[in-house]
Amino acid sequence: MSASSTNYPRFAQGPVAKQIHNIYRDRLRQFTDNGQYRQQSLRAKFYNARVHDSDHIKLSVYSPPNLERPTFKEATSHEFSSANLGDSFGPSWSTHWFRVHLTVPSSLKSDEHLEFHWDANNEGLIWLEDGTVVHGLTGGGERVEWILPHEWRDGKEHVFYVEMACNSMFGNAPGGDSIQPPQPDKYFTLHTADIVSINLAARALYIDFWIIGDAAREFPLDSWEEHEALQVCNDIMDIFLDGDGSEESIIKGRKLAQKYIGAHVDSSKVYDSDYESIVSAIGHCHIDTCWLWPWAETKRKIARSWSNQCDLMDRYPEHRFCCSQAQQYKWLEQLYPSVYDRVKEKVKLGTFQPIGGSWVEHDTNMPSGESLTRQFLYGQRFFETRFGQRCKTFWLPDTFGYSTQLPQLCRLAGMTRFFTQKLSWNNINNFPHTTFNWVALDGSQVICHMAPDNTYTAEAHFGDVKRSLTQHKSLDQDKTSLLVFGKGDGGGGPTWEHIEKLRRCRGMSDQVGLLPRVKMGESVDDFFTRLEKKAETGTEFVTWYGELYFELHRGTYTTQANNKKNNRKAEILLHDIEYFATMASIRNVIKDKKSGYSYPKKDLDDMWEAVLLCQFHDCLPGSSIEMCYDDSDKLYAQVFETGKKLLKGALTELGFVDLHDTHGHLAVLNTLPWQRSLVEPPTTSIVDSAFHTVHCPAGMASVESLYSQLGTHVPCTIEEIDPDNFILRNAHYRVDVSAGAITSLYDLRTRRELIPRGAKANQLVLYDDKPLYWQAWDVEIYHLRSRTELQGGRTKIVEAGPHRVSVATETRISEHSWIRTTISLDSPPAVPWHNYYKVDPAERSPITIAAEVEWHETMKFLKVEFPTTIHAESATYETQYGLVRRPTHFNTSWDAARFEVCCHRFADLSDAAAGLTVLNDSKYGFATQGSTMRLSLLRAPKAPDAHADMGRHEIRWGLLPHVGPVGQESVRAGFEFNYPVRVERFGGGKDEEKEVAKLLGSLSVDSQSKGLVLDWVKRGEDDEDVSRRDGLPVREGKSVVVRVYDSLGAWTRGTLKWGVLPVKKVWRTNLLEDDEEEVSIEKDSISVEVRAFEVVTWRLQL
């Protein structure tokens, strides 16, 4: 029998009530209250003293004119005038430089911790007198402190500078809605410029209490851990009250807190326990390269954010910080060398961790396949040249959906891992996985992790750690997760509070359990390495095949049409320049003669970096403020100007002269790798006024007048039935047009009508477009209920044949907007046959529609639709390096969610016998519902750019009926619709012309499936005459890099030929042009085997 306690009281001391749980829990707020109880709460003890008198802080200011952002050297060379607390500074986006003379008061010299606090509710950057950046400021009560150097307690006056930016972290939107267009005349009042003595014990108790209080609020009510947390918090409050908030009571409160969070939370030793950790916390700072602020402000955000992280790494040894986007590192290197040097030092130590492998965190829906390739090529090469390492993890936490070919491109760029979380924003379906294998069209896979906390800007709260387990959807395979924490979007990154909170969370897990155990001090790659090892040892992670479609932000396929058109034009221009420049730079090898021409690598790099920058996931999608598109317009203008110069230089080297020269003759240049036959209208560069026919193999051919074709040409005709009703005919189609709409499209080859009786194709339709919130980003499914047909106006003949017939219709959209559409049908190009020409039934040109639009609408969506007689359960859309099929029905919520999707150059609806391909020259939004296809043309959101898409637009689309399911004909038509032939004047003789024609037509690929496309030709990055000597190994000699992909989805065997090129060796490479496998040469070719939708790169060593 156990002995009874002798101390247990015999008599009750009085009544004791059961605690009313919610009342004692709600009481906790008083202790950290910033409202009516602030002076009686712990907050009142944070500061021992605050000094802001003119004896110790003197301010003066220089305000640059015209919204200029001068360098430190420029700014500090000017005269400064007196400034005071209470002064206001503006307008929006202006910069103001403050010189601060600071003397630490003798009364504070011995205090434990001194900070300088600065707050004008806007961002800022602190510079030392020698031009060294030391600290970034956020403003508005966030990150307003800078720890004063201890050596400044010498009683002397010290000088430093504050660079004030007149914008908040999220720009200059009026009121509390950050996505509204910025207010141009915003002013900011400087209300804090103080020397502050900090009570570190009170600050630490605040964090203790915060985390334990969260446990009391968020642990299950039926757990002892929740009740224990509530008692500890109430006891801390009682101790504080009993001690009247004394320093002793604060220290006692901290001692009591250790009962719940352990004794090691004041150092990184808290992570030294041997317990298993399942949450890996990584600091991160997502900086939108442009969004609610222009690029110029982003450059300063980088310096603010990353300088702070370097400081935190010095103070917190467990802190690890990852950051992506090579462009941002390059800006830092160019503009803030002192910060860049600190970053480089931390990278060597492994605490600052470059990640991502791409030039920017780009959109993945709309860039071409080659653009995605160059994002990786330029990104990985930058990280390798600057830090001696390539990235292993592709990092895209905030991009609006993920293209189906990304896993393949990641693997080809040396990355096996992928991180995002954006699909947690889906507004229809809940994505079902956290950790899984993501599989591309060709079967390549990467291991993907989506942070279960559903954010890349976690505040490192108790709840963030808890949700890292409770919202984990892949626990059957693995229980670990990433917690990505730190202020983001507008920059900032982790704060000292974040790191302190995570220490308490770990201490709590070790002390009382229940909360998932968090760990710091590792990298993202460490986390993924463990996942890969599990996969290697038998863990079967689930698979997701195809695109990671984002069920939100579908309007971004259409918003800011001009920006998207510039992107498409720039991609095509770069394709053509690199093709011609490659041939020009190797011509001397074939001729065995010296040449003064050099492959223009620097200029091409500048062009590519500009285009890649504009593909940032808030720029190309159209979700930035107007200033960003002013910037991108200027950048594209530079790209086109440089491109024009480079094109001329390459063509001159190849023997071409000015079009208006009197000598030489006209030639047509075809940069696509197959023969094209088409009719070209007269241009100002052609002497006569006749239409010309082009039969151009890959490379170069002559131009011939159609009138020279011996009378065998089959013309096209037009017939006016009655006013506004016309019939257009050629050898392939009969097209009935009524007031701008196509009421019949009859394919003479298949003898099939493609438009239902009574329906109207090419019908312009207008929708009301008011999403739930994100105007520039979103279009919601309910917009489909507001369809309004636009009635065409007067239609007239504008071209009457015999080589082209056209009718034009002007349609009023509203009082302020109109659209003029021109439907054109060409005569089929006759092809040479024996001694005359004949029509080849396989050479079919599309029905082309050119539109000129004056657009001044508010929250409207303009589309053009094509009802068809085709029934199919899926439609086909071109994507990067392949095709993707999506449902035409709404059987499930997953199907219905894809009511607006992304396509590239074409979309197609086919049955087994025939189909219709809709081509476009600059559009990306599309929808196919049932048998009706719709191409999205223009939107009119008013936030964040109040003038998005307003003004004049020129758009082209086309219709290509075809036999059988979608195939080579549609793929090639998509290319041809976008890549114009170039009419140039060749200045050399016939022998030289033959030599150049052979050179330009030397590269070709054929295959059994007819699906292989020779997509790109360029020079090798590391060739000795191309390399920019950036620290990477240089290769001797010259090489040509060719990129080929399967476009149809069939394993195929084929041949890559190079004609007159003196190829010595061939290497299969990855996207980064690392030689991986030498390929056997068979005379002037190699045999190739390509998987369905595989992308293959070869390097031909000359």
Side-chain angles (χ1 to χ4, degrees), residues 410-430:
C410 284
R411 296 304 295 255
L412 292 171
M415 292 180 284
T416 59
R417 304 93 180 256
F418 177 57
F419 173 84
T420 186
Q421 62 79 50
K422 197 64 177 182
L423 267 61
S424 66
W425 285 40
N426 281 3
N427 71 345
I428 295 180
N429 296 288
N430 188 1

Side-chain angles (χ1 to χ4, degrees), residues 365 402-404 547 549 557 872-880 883-889 895 898-904 906-909 924 926-928:
N365 289 310
Y402 304 95
S403 168
T404 185
E547 67 181 330
Y549 177 82
Y557 311 142
E873 291 188 358
S874 65
T876 302
Y877 304 85
E878 188 190 38
T879 188
Q880 301 96 342
L883 305 174
V884 60
R885 292 174 175 83
R886 301 182 179 108
T888 60
H889 53 74
D895 300 328
R898 301 185 187 203
F899 60 84
E900 182 84 5
V901 297
C902 185
C903 76
H904 278 231
F906 70 87
D908 183 89
L909 186 64
Y924 297 92
F926 209 92
T928 307

Side-chain angles (χ1 to χ4, degrees), residues 229-277:
L230 185 60
Q231 299 312 308
V232 169
C233 285
N234 275 277
D235 289 347
I236 289 172
M237 292 180 70
D238 292 341
I239 289 172
F240 184 82
L241 290 173
D242 289 346
D244 198 24
S246 66
E247 190 71 9
E248 182 183 3
S249 70
I250 290 171
I251 293 171
K252 284 183 178 179
R254 291 220 67 207
K255 189 72 174 176
L256 180 58
Q258 292 179 8
K259 177 181 177 182
Y260 204 85
I261 59 175
H264 302 297
V265 297
D266 290 332
S267 78
S268 60
K269 291 181 180 179
V270 71
Y271 296 107
D272 290 346
S273 69
D274 294 329
Y275 298 114
E276 180 189 16
S277 302

Side-chain angles (χ1 to χ4, degrees), residues 989-1004:
K990 287 192 174 182
D991 289 343
E992 186 179 2
E993 181 181 8
K994 288 179 181 178
E995 175 254 316
V996 172
K998 286 181 179 180
L999 173 63
L1000 293 179
S1002 55
L1003 289 165
S1004 65

Side-chain angles (χ1 to χ4, degrees), residues 737-765:
V737 178
S738 178
I742 297 174
T743 55
S744 173
L745 173 52
Y746 189 76
D747 189 332
L748 298 173
R749 183 166 55 166
T750 62
R751 294 188 296 175
R752 178 168 177 173
E753 174 60 64
L754 292 172
I755 309 300
R757 185 183 297 274
K760 292 182 288 185
N762 203 51
Q763 174 63 56
L764 296 164
V765 287

Side-chain angles (χ1 to χ4, degrees), residues 659 666-669 680 683 685-686 703 981-985:
L659 270 171
L666 293 174
V668 64
L669 297 177
E680 282 292 296
T683 68
S685 62
I686 298 177
V703 177
V981 294
R982 297 180 179 275
V983 176
E984 299 288 345
R985 185 173 294 278

Side-chain angles (χ1 to χ4, degrees), residues 147-421:
I147 300 173
L148 288 174
H150 194 79
E151 55 270 23
W152 284 19
R153 304 181 184 208
D154 55 5
K156 297 179 182 178
E157 185 177 76
H158 296 271
V159 177
F160 61 98
Y161 293 85
V162 178
E163 179 187 11
M164 175 192 285
C166 284
N167 54 266
S168 71
M169 180 176 278
F170 292 97
N172 277 309
D177 188 350
S178 63
I179 73 163
Q180 293 307 308
Q183 180 180 332
D185 57 351
K186 212 169 183 181
Y187 280 74
F188 298 84
T189 300
L190 176 61
H191 58 79
T192 303
D194 301 344
I195 302 170
V196 184
S197 174
I198 304 297
N199 184 333
L200 292 181
R203 185 184 272 181
L205 179 59
Y206 175 78
I207 305 295
D208 296 343
F209 190 88
W210 185 346
I211 295 301
I212 301 171
D214 279 351
R217 286 180 285 269
E218 296 193 39
F219 272 157
L221 188 60
D222 61 356
S223 67
W224 70 263
E225 293 91 345
E226 187 269 351
H227 289 267
E228 180 80 7
L230 185 60
Q231 299 312 308
V232 169
C233 285
N234 275 277
D235 289 347
I236 289 172
M237 292 180 70
D238 292 341
I239 289 172
F240 184 82
L241 290 173
D242 289 346
D244 198 24
S246 66
E247 190 71 9
E248 182 183 3
S249 70
I250 290 171
I251 293 171
K252 284 183 178 179
R254 291 220 67 207
K255 189 72 174 176
L256 180 58
Q258 292 179 8
K259 177 181 177 182
Y260 204 85
I261 59 175
H264 302 297
V265 297
D266 290 332
S267 78
S268 60
K269 291 181 180 179
V270 71
Y271 296 107
D272 290 346
S273 69
D274 294 329
Y275 298 114
E276 180 189 16
S277 302
I278 63 173
V279 179
S280 297
I282 187 77
H284 179 53
C285 171
H286 181 67
I287 304 177
D288 283 316
T289 304
C290 66
W291 181 31
L292 304 176
W293 50 87
W295 287 325
E297 197 55 46
T298 301
K299 296 171 184 177
R300 301 200 291 194
K301 285 176 177 285
I302 297 163
R304 295 176 199 132
S305 303
W306 295 4
S307 61
N308 289 356
Q309 298 313 306
C310 290
D311 177 60
L312 286 174
M313 289 168 198
D314 292 337
R315 295 158 56 194
Y316 293 93
E318 73 269 32
H319 183 39
R320 301 293 182 271
F321 175 77
C322 72
C323 218
S324 64
Q325 307 195 73
Q327 173 69 85
Q328 296 189 5
Y329 287 85
K330 183 172 182 178
W331 280 337
L332 190 76
E333 180 184 33
Q334 293 172 332
L335 302 174
Y336 300 93
S338 66
V339 183
Y340 179 76
D341 288 343
R342 289 187 73 191
V343 167
K344 201 165 184 178
E345 175 192 343
K346 301 301 183 186
V347 172
K348 287 181 180 178
L349 295 173
T351 52
F352 197 114
Q353 299 164 355
I355 201 167
S358 57
W359 190 249
V360 294
E361 286 189 14
H362 52 91
D363 178 75
T364 76
N365 289 310
M366 291 169 283
S368 68
E370 188 64 24
S371 285
L372 295 183
T373 294
R374 297 303 176 98
Q375 287 285 353
F376 292 139
L377 179 68
Y378 280 85
Q380 289 284 50
R381 287 179 68 88
F382 182 90
F383 290 126
E384 187 173 13
T385 57
R386 298 321 194 270
F387 307 117
Q389 62 189 45
R390 292 175 178 175
C391 301
K392 299 177 182 177
T393 302
F394 187 31
W395 184 269
L396 276 189
D398 193 33
T399 295
F400 312 149
Y402 304 95
S403 168
T404 185
Q405 285 287 46
L406 281 177
Q408 179 182 186
L409 300 182
C410 284
R411 296 304 295 255
L412 292 171
M415 292 180 284
T416 59
R417 304 93 180 256
F418 177 57
F419 173 84
T420 186
Q421 62 79 50

Side-chain angles (χ1 to χ4, degrees), residues 675-678 693-697 701-706 708-710 712-713 828-841 843:
Q675 177 167 309
R676 301 172 65 175
S677 296
L678 65 158
T693 186
V694 173
H695 304 294
C696 188
S702 299
V703 177
E704 299 181 58
S705 169
L706 284 176
S708 69
Q709 295 179 9
L710 308 180
T712 61
H713 170 68
V831 296
W833 193 76
H834 295 292
N835 294 321
Y836 63 97
Y837 293 81
K838 72 172 185 176
V839 172
D840 182 352
E843 294 286 350

